[in-house]
Amino acid sequence: MTERSPGFNTLAIHAGAQPDPTTGARATPIYQTTSYVFEDVDHAASLFGLQTFGNIYTRIGNPTCAVLEERIAALEGGTAGLATASGHAAQVLVMQALMMPGDEFVASKKLYGGSINQFNHSFKSFGWNVVWADPDDIPSFERAITPKTKAIFIESIANPGGVITDIEAVSKIAKKAGVPLIVDNTLATPYLCKPFDYGADVIVHSLTKFLGGHGNSVGGMIVDGGTFNWSREGRYPMLSEPRPEYQGIVLHETFGNFAFAIACRVLGLRDLGPALSPFNAFLILTGVETLPLRMQRHSDNAKAVAEWLSKQPGVAWVSYPGLASDKYYSLAQKYCPKGAGAVFTFGLKGGYEAGVKLVSNVQLFSHLANIGDTRSLIIHPASTTHRQLSDAQKVQAGAGPDVVRLSIGLEDKEDIIADLEQALNN
Ligand SMILES: *Cc1c(COP(=O)(O)O)cnc(C)c1O
């Protein structure tokens, strides 16, 4: 028999998991423990010295979280994963492994609003300086590179506007500059888009959204692509310089193609501390088992809703890259051929008042600030998340008075459309 590698549906259920060796439990148990007993003094010493892999303390690693790490790494085609307490914590740990105070990174200016805040304010206070580039003008990434640039950060499908970034084109610029390309793959998930196939070096996720998928747990993940040369020109000292607290070992030399994930764990997670709870890892693992089924339904429903909305007299425009008329349609066909995801925006001819009326009238949709739930979700950014901005700033952020954002759930598409119809016409 020839060896075959398991398909995506199989990996979503099995990767990283085995029946529990002591009890035979088939579902991955929740290892709700802070710490682990050493076999003897030598075992303890080799764990602390990174000579043996094993559990010491749940801030640094936990067996339930380890199954989730292996599963997401397998789905993305990476070498190793690291679970974190939230998507934002994953972004902090990735940058902490790469940046020293005074360094720069280039980021797409079409990103999740929380990332724009994190980069503009908290990261600046660490001395990590973001330089913004425009995903609709790829050469702007190259123009933003300086000798201080340590990374490029983009989203595959950007939240919320349905912007698809040309990953391959940006990865060529990153390679030429000798810096890693980090892709936030939250909205697409590895079911719809595989950034490592197009030159990404590191992937980050908010597990809170479609990977967990049920709106019940916050979590994040870093996936190491295993492709980047961290030792080149001494630019990444955390990976290429001897570590005094680990008997002078050099992480890149010792751990090779999963050195980045190790650095984020044994330095970043150890010192900054945003570990995922094993209980959340358990819930998210249960969600991941049905990821392929859910993502296909999410995308198919979203496409049907976007098509219906684009024909309504009260709707000025629909920004969904799965529509043939959309400006990102050809990029969506290349990067997300199975579907363009479930989060998109549209504009109401009646402006601010119409937006407020719509979110007040919906019954099946939940009016809240999240995405990637089984339930359909709606928000009018101008009256909620972006209300403190001036009108000009709102438009600049893609949150003008007429803009409504949807995250389409797994209900019957006829029911989702009927709810929007009654809410638009009441
Ligand atoms: C939600 C989100 C994040 C942040 O994740 P948390 O789990 O909320 O910290 C980052 N990127 C994108 C695209 C998101 O949607």
Side-chain angles (χ1 to χ4, degrees):
M1 228 174 85
T2 54
E3 190 77 13
R4 53 168 282 125
S5 40
F8 194 90
N9 295 279
T10 307
L11 291 173
I13 296 167
H14 292 283
Q18 299 155 20
D20 183 62
T22 43
T23 63
R26 183 59 271 213
T28 297
I30 305 168
Y31 288 97
Q32 193 67 29
T33 183
T34 56
S35 28
Y36 309 83
V37 177
F38 307 121
E39 288 161 22
D40 52 38
V41 173
D42 289 343
H43 177 227
S46 71
L47 285 172
F48 278 102
L50 300 182
Q51 283 113 7
T52 304
F53 286 106
N55 297 304
I56 299 174
Y57 187 62
T58 283
R59 169 154 41 76
I60 303 164
N62 172 279
T64 312
C65 297
V67 175
L68 181 62
E69 287 160 348
E70 209 174 317
R71 182 139 334 149
I72 304 294
L75 293 175
E76 288 287 11
T79 52
L82 179 68
T84 57
S86 68
H88 267 7
Q91 295 174 188
V92 174
L93 293 191
V94 163
M95 287 303 176
Q96 199 246 354
L98 303 177
M99 310 282 292
M100 298 298 276
D103 283 345
E104 294 174 2
F105 67 104
V106 178
S108 162
K109 64 181 186 189
K110 300 261 169 70
L111 289 183
Y112 167 64
S115 300
I116 292 179
N117 273 333
Q118 187 188 46
F119 296 177
N120 267 337
H121 303 293
S122 291
F123 281 13
K124 284 222 169 113
S125 76
F126 302 158
W128 310 340
N129 297 316
V130 62
V131 181
W132 298 106
D134 184 352
D136 295 327
D137 172 19
I138 295 292
S140 71
F141 283 87
E142 189 149 20
R143 292 195 298 272
I145 304 270
T146 76
K148 291 181 177 165
T149 306
K150 292 293 167 72
I152 299 181
F153 189 103
I154 59 174
E155 271 179 53
S156 47
I157 304 179
N159 177 4
V163 175
I164 309 268
T165 312
D166 191 343
I167 302 170
E168 202 162 36
V170 179
S171 97
K172 285 194 184 124
I173 293 168
K175 284 192 174 44
K176 196 168 144 198
V179 301
L181 175 62
I182 302 156
V183 178
D184 180 341
N185 201 28
T186 297
L187 258 65
T189 80
Y191 176 74
L192 295 178
C193 179
K194 300 291 280 287
F196 288 144
D197 292 349
Y198 301 101
D201 299 292
V202 174
I203 291 173
V204 290
H205 277 288
S206 169
L207 303 172
T208 316
K209 316 296 169 52
F210 294 97
L211 282 164
H214 294 70
N216 59 22
S217 313
V218 173
M221 183 66 67
I222 298 165
V223 186
D224 188 344
T227 41
F228 194 79
N229 178 5
W230 304 107
S231 301
R232 203 176 113 176
E233 295 163 20
R235 269 193 188 169
Y236 301 99
M238 282 205 12
L239 288 123
S240 66
E241 299 284 314
R243 295 303 313 183
E245 71 272 66
Y246 293 121
Q247 302 93 38
I249 67 168
V250 172
L251 293 177
H252 188 205
E253 224 170 76
T254 306
F255 297 104
N257 71 355
F258 57 101
F260 187 74
I262 293 279
C264 292
R265 184 188 302 280
V266 305
L267 303 175
L269 199 55
R270 181 196 65 177
D271 293 348
L272 301 179
L276 183 66
S277 97
F279 185 73
N280 279 15
F282 170 83
L283 290 171
I284 294 164
L285 268 172
T286 305
V288 171
E289 291 184 9
T290 55
L291 177 74
L293 296 169
R294 289 187 293 102
M295 276 325 277
Q296 193 62 58
R297 171 74 76 85
H298 275 298
S299 282
D300 293 349
N301 277 358
K303 181 155 186 260
V305 174
E307 274 165 359
W308 179 84
L309 278 171
S310 66
K311 293 184 204 118
Q312 300 313 302
V315 172
W317 51 267
V318 178
S319 169
Y320 182 63
L323 294 179
S325 55
D326 194 83
K327 75 173 192 177
Y328 298 106
Y329 182 71
S330 59
L331 283 172
Q333 294 294 297
K334 171 172 175 177
Y335 291 108
C336 308
K338 294 198 282 275
V343 178
F344 65 95
T345 52
F346 67 98
L348 289 164
K349 285 185 188 152
Y352 189 91
E353 298 307 320
V356 169
K357 200 185 99 181
L358 179 65
V359 296
S360 313
N361 284 350
V362 287
Q363 290 168 356
L364 183 65
F365 276 82
S366 303
H367 178 208
L368 55 73
N370 189 26
I371 55 169
D373 197 324
T374 51
R375 288 153 274 260
S376 289
L377 313 175
I378 190 169
I379 197 160
H380 178 229
S383 61
T384 55
T385 48
H386 291 68
R387 90 178 277 136
Q388 74 288 359
L389 302 183
S390 69
D391 283 353
Q393 286 173 320
K394 282 182 186 134
V395 171
Q396 164 81 14
D402 61 328
V403 177
V404 175
R405 183 186 79 189
L406 301 179
S407 173
I408 300 298
L410 303 177
E411 303 95 338
D412 290 295
K413 62 177 183 288
E414 294 79 7
D415 293 329
I416 300 170
I417 290 171
D419 190 37
L420 290 172
E421 184 165 35
Q422 68 78 21
L424 283 169
N425 297 327
N426 265 340

